[in-house]
Amino acid sequence: MSSSGSTKAILAALTANGGIAVAKFTGYVITGSAAMLAEAVHSVVDTSNQALLLFGQRAAAKAPDALHPFGHGRSRYFWSFVVALVLFSLGSMFALYEGYEKVRHPVELSSPLVAIAILLVAIGLETYSFRTAIRESRPLKGEGSWWRFLRTSRNPELPVVLLEDTAALIGLALALIGVGLSVVTGNPVWDGVGTLGISALLGAVAVFLMVEMHSLLIGEGATAAEDQAIRAALEGTKNVTRLIHIRTQYLGPDEMLVGAKIAVVPSLDLAGVAATIDAAEANIRAAVPAALVIYLEPDLDRTPVPHSVDQKG
């Protein structure tokens, strides 16, 4: 479900940003606004990023092979990391350069009302993309906060699209403010100031995404709730006396690896041990469906039994 929801959000963002980019470039040609140009490049970057996210999903769907026996699921993390790099290097750096130049050498805007009209249309289209990303993210977010979702989600595309759309809406507002102040004050330097604000915004979002995607690329384990559910599933399995230790890691957004050592009843024969492991695996998958790859090692419970101490009256 998460992959399907991600694809819907990506396609909505791709459609919206493609149309917005054309409109913004048209507005820049007419008005000469630096903020409009920065926003146009921002939309082109976002459109390219959505194409990269779709490519990452396709690469992740390839079947396991001898070189990648656990599959290619982390391709989605890699391409999401590339998206963050592109957002920083192209979007933020270009806006920084353009804003700096326009602050140093302000240029009078022509037809500013055209720029304002285009920005308002772009806000409407971007809102459609943002609402789609919100709707598709809600099932994964659950009852937690949106900040927690961005920090803990093992799905890379939805946080990327959410943050890109949020940055796009705030960036459009900054561009609108910059153009508006240029018109009201008659000082075109505000257009450059708005562009610098867009640069700072894109840079902050890109750095945040790079940090989060780096963590996912290295390999994150189960969430706290998932870890508790897996432990409860193992400890609640018949003939399992104790969970000795457990390790988890996401191989991709929809696939988790679980490795655990469990203590079983000493009197079990080989068939009983095998049946206990099968039952434990079934319990884990019922509790956490993403746990698709499970390795369980049975052992005897060697926990020392404390000696009783006689109490003297």
Side-chain angles (χ1 to χ4, degrees), residues 10 21 33 63 83 94 103 130 166 195 202 247 254 264 268-269 280 304:
I10 294 169
S33 167
V83 162
F94 179 83
V103 169
F130 181 70
T166 302
T195 308
L202 295 181
R247 298 288 185 274
D254 307 315
V264 299
L268 286 179
D269 58 13

Side-chain angles (χ1 to χ4, degrees), residues 101-115:
E101 287 296 314
K102 287 300 186 289
V103 169
R104 287 187 61 200
H105 310 291
V107 178
E108 198 71 32
L109 302 182
S110 60
S111 303
L113 292 180
V114 174

Side-chain angles (χ1 to χ4, degrees), residues 27 31 33 36 111-120 176 179:
T31 65
S33 167
M36 183 69 77
S111 303
L113 292 180
V114 174
I116 293 173
I118 290 175
L119 288 172
L120 290 175
L176 195 60
V179 173

Side-chain angles (χ1 to χ4, degrees), residues 175-215:
L176 195 60
I177 292 170
V179 173
L181 286 175
S182 296
V183 174
V184 172
T185 64
N187 186 357
V189 75
W190 287 109
D191 183 44
V193 172
T195 308
L196 290 174
I198 293 170
S199 170
L201 172 68
L202 295 181
V205 170
V207 170
F208 176 85
L209 286 175
M210 281 190 279
V211 170
E212 292 301 314
M213 294 308 131
H214 171 258
S215 180

Side-chain angles (χ1 to χ4, degrees), residues 237 240 262 264 272-282 294-298:
T237 301
V240 174
I262 55 176
V264 299
V273 171
T276 299
I277 291 175
D278 290 341
E281 290 180 353
I294 303 174
Y295 296 105
L296 299 179
E297 179 185 353

Side-chain angles (χ1 to χ4, degrees), residues 62-72:
K62 291 193 298 184
D65 52 40
L67 189 59
H68 305 94
F70 288 107
H72 300 77

Side-chain angles (χ1 to χ4, degrees), residues 66-296:
L67 189 59
H68 305 94
F70 288 107
H72 300 77
R74 286 188 183 172
S75 291
R76 290 167 66 180
Y77 297 149
F78 171 76
W79 288 108
S80 295
F81 184 80
V82 172
V83 162
L85 289 176
V86 171
L87 189 66
F88 180 79
S89 58
L90 294 183
S92 179
M93 292 297 100
F94 179 83
L96 177 63
Y97 168 78
E98 194 66 24
Y100 176 73
E101 287 296 314
K102 287 300 186 289
V103 169
R104 287 187 61 200
H105 310 291
V107 178
E108 198 71 32
L109 302 182
S110 60
S111 303
L113 292 180
V114 174
I116 293 173
I118 290 175
L119 288 172
L120 290 175
V121 171
I123 288 174
L125 291 173
E126 202 66 64
T127 299
Y128 156 73
S129 173
F130 181 70
R131 285 169 61 90
T132 302
I134 289 287
R135 184 177 66 249
E136 299 301 330
S137 299
R138 285 192 188 280
L140 293 178
K141 183 183 81 73
E143 298 299 322
S145 66
W146 284 106
W147 175 251
R148 182 177 179 82
F149 171 70
L150 293 174
R151 292 299 311 274
T152 64
S153 176
R154 302 311 191 254
N155 179 303
E157 295 94 358
L158 286 173
V160 168
V161 174
L162 271 174
L163 283 174
E164 279 190 348
D165 287 348
T166 302
L169 285 170
I170 297 174
L172 286 166
L174 290 173
L176 195 60
I177 292 170
V179 173
L181 286 175
S182 296
V183 174
V184 172
T185 64
N187 186 357
V189 75
W190 287 109
D191 183 44
V193 172
T195 308
L196 290 174
I198 293 170
S199 170
L201 172 68
L202 295 181
V205 170
V207 170
F208 176 85
L209 286 175
M210 281 190 279
V211 170
E212 292 301 314
M213 294 308 131
H214 171 258
S215 180
L216 289 170
L217 270 174
I218 292 175
E220 290 189 359
T223 64
E226 289 170 338
D227 182 76
Q228 291 177 1
I230 293 172
R231 290 174 181 273
L234 285 171
E235 292 168 348
T237 301
K238 183 180 178 181
N239 293 324
V240 174
T241 61
R242 188 168 67 92
L243 172 60
I244 300 173
H245 65 71
I246 183 173
R247 298 288 185 274
T248 60
Q249 188 174 94
Y250 267 90
L251 303 173
D254 307 315
E255 185 175 8
M256 184 197 303
L257 167 67
V258 177
K261 192 170 187 177
I262 55 176
V264 299
V265 174
S267 59
L268 286 179
D269 58 13
L270 182 58
V273 171
T276 299
I277 291 175
D278 290 341
E281 290 180 353
N283 289 343
I284 292 173
R285 292 192 175 99
V288 182
L292 299 180
V293 183
I294 303 174
Y295 296 105
L296 299 179

